[in-house]
Amino acid sequence: MPTPAPSAGREALGGRPHRDVRRLLASIHDVSPRSHSAVDALADRLQGHLGGPKFAMLVIPDHWGEAPIAGNAAFHTQLRRWADLGIEMFLHGWCHRDETPATGRLAQIKGQHMTAGEGEFLSLSQAEAARRMREGKALLEDILGKPVAGFIAPAWLYGPGALAALGDVGFALAEDHMTVWAPGQAGTDRRVLSRGPVVTWASRNPGRIRSSLGFAALARPTLPLLLRDLRVAVHPGDVTVPALLASIDATLARFARTHRPSRYAALLA
């Protein structure tokens, strides 16, 4: 496993005050009983680069309706073990599967081109989005015995209903492809905490593999010079493609040289 690279501490960037901390925020998506072994492998990999469990996990309560965490005592124990290590736990939708017909051309384009049928919260009504969020939050917090860190929609896709529901339910944090924010209470504006693209990888077909490898190769030398906060997200499918694992290793090693591995909650400080 790679040797942890030194963190950046309080280096300045682009004229920012020396007191600003440059952070590296990493996450493992799609955590569920069906991905347990792959998540274990990714967690070991991330810890090797980050110097410990300084990353987040995004948990799906019932992945595609085929892997419920409710009633799975062994998986409950594993979730608590990860959380007790200090890994942040986010709710990641309910089933991760988009079962609601898209309304509007933009939603149709996002659903077709940004995910393979997994934009669960893209077309939900506010009431249905809030129901799934509340039930998932209650389930996960009951298992963990502590609050979840926040909510991140499957495929980072939110429709108007989901965005409104975030304030209703009261999550501390949320993120999409370009932004991390604090949703606030219902009826209040969200507070943007960080801006910049997520570096992630896709394994579902050769074209997606090539494009994600290309973006990561461009991101490694450029984003550390431009952004205070860097975000990296990995998925269980990444472990099936050696080229993706090599790219993940190279990206984490490069980013950790200049940015301090951190938890999302640090953005709220």
Side-chain angles (χ1 to χ4, degrees):
M1 192 52 56
T3 301
S7 62
R10 297 177 178 270
E11 296 178 11
L13 173 63
R16 290 191 177 94
H18 185 69
R19 65 180 177 273
D20 281 2
V21 178
R22 293 194 286 174
R23 298 185 176 93
L24 170 55
L25 305 170
S27 59
I28 301 174
H29 284 225
D30 303 349
V31 176
S32 80
R34 68 188 290 183
S35 62
H36 192 165
S37 60
V39 170
D40 262 337
L42 290 169
D44 288 344
R45 202 171 208 97
L46 264 59
Q47 288 190 75
H49 284 289
L50 305 177
K54 302 171 185 175
F55 54 90
M57 288 186 176
L58 279 56
V59 183
I60 307 171
D62 188 4
H63 201 170
W64 279 62
E66 300 168 352
I69 63 175
N72 189 330
F75 195 67
H76 295 182
T77 298
Q78 181 60 74
L79 287 173
R80 286 192 293 269
R81 184 177 297 122
W82 281 326
D84 289 344
L85 287 173
I87 296 170
E88 290 180 298
M89 293 289 173
F90 282 80
L91 179 64
H92 193 39
W94 176 264
C95 67
H96 209 281
R97 185 174 186 173
D98 186 1
E99 301 169 325
T100 307
T103 55
R105 182 61 179 158
L106 181 58
Q108 291 175 353
I109 291 171
K110 287 181 176 180
Q112 291 171 2
H113 298 288
M114 297 180 71
T115 182
E118 297 194 312
E120 178 188 1
F121 279 74
L122 184 57
S123 300
L124 294 179
S125 67
Q126 180 176 346
E128 178 59 19
R131 183 187 70 81
R132 297 189 191 194
M133 288 177 184
R134 286 195 180 97
E135 291 185 8
K137 183 174 183 288
L139 173 63
L140 192 50
E141 290 182 344
D142 183 59
I143 293 168
L144 299 175
K146 63 183 70 176
V148 296
F151 178 86
I152 299 174
W156 291 287
L157 294 175
Y158 303 78
L163 289 172
L166 284 171
D168 294 340
V169 179
F171 289 102
L173 289 166
E175 77 165 8
D176 58 21
H177 282 96
M178 295 296 297
T179 311
V180 183
W181 73 93
Q185 300 301 312
T188 63
D189 292 334
R190 71 185 191 177
R191 179 165 60 98
V192 174
L193 304 172
S194 183
R195 297 185 189 275
V198 179
V199 180
T200 191
W201 293 263
S203 61
R204 69 176 180 264
N205 60 53
R208 297 281 185 171
I209 291 171
R210 287 193 297 270
S211 64
S212 58
L213 290 173
F215 179 71
L218 290 172
R220 284 194 290 273
T222 56
L223 293 187
L225 302 177
L226 301 173
L227 299 176
R228 182 197 67 185
D229 303 315
L230 300 175
R231 288 185 291 152
V232 172
V234 298
H235 293 78
D238 297 341
V239 304
T240 66
V241 183
L244 294 184
L245 291 177
S247 179
I248 290 167
D249 286 340
T251 303
L252 288 170
R254 172 61 186 88
F255 286 178
R257 290 207 301 269
T258 55
H259 287 64
R260 175 187 298 173
S262 303
R263 295 180 176 86
Y264 277 81
L267 297 175
L268 291 167

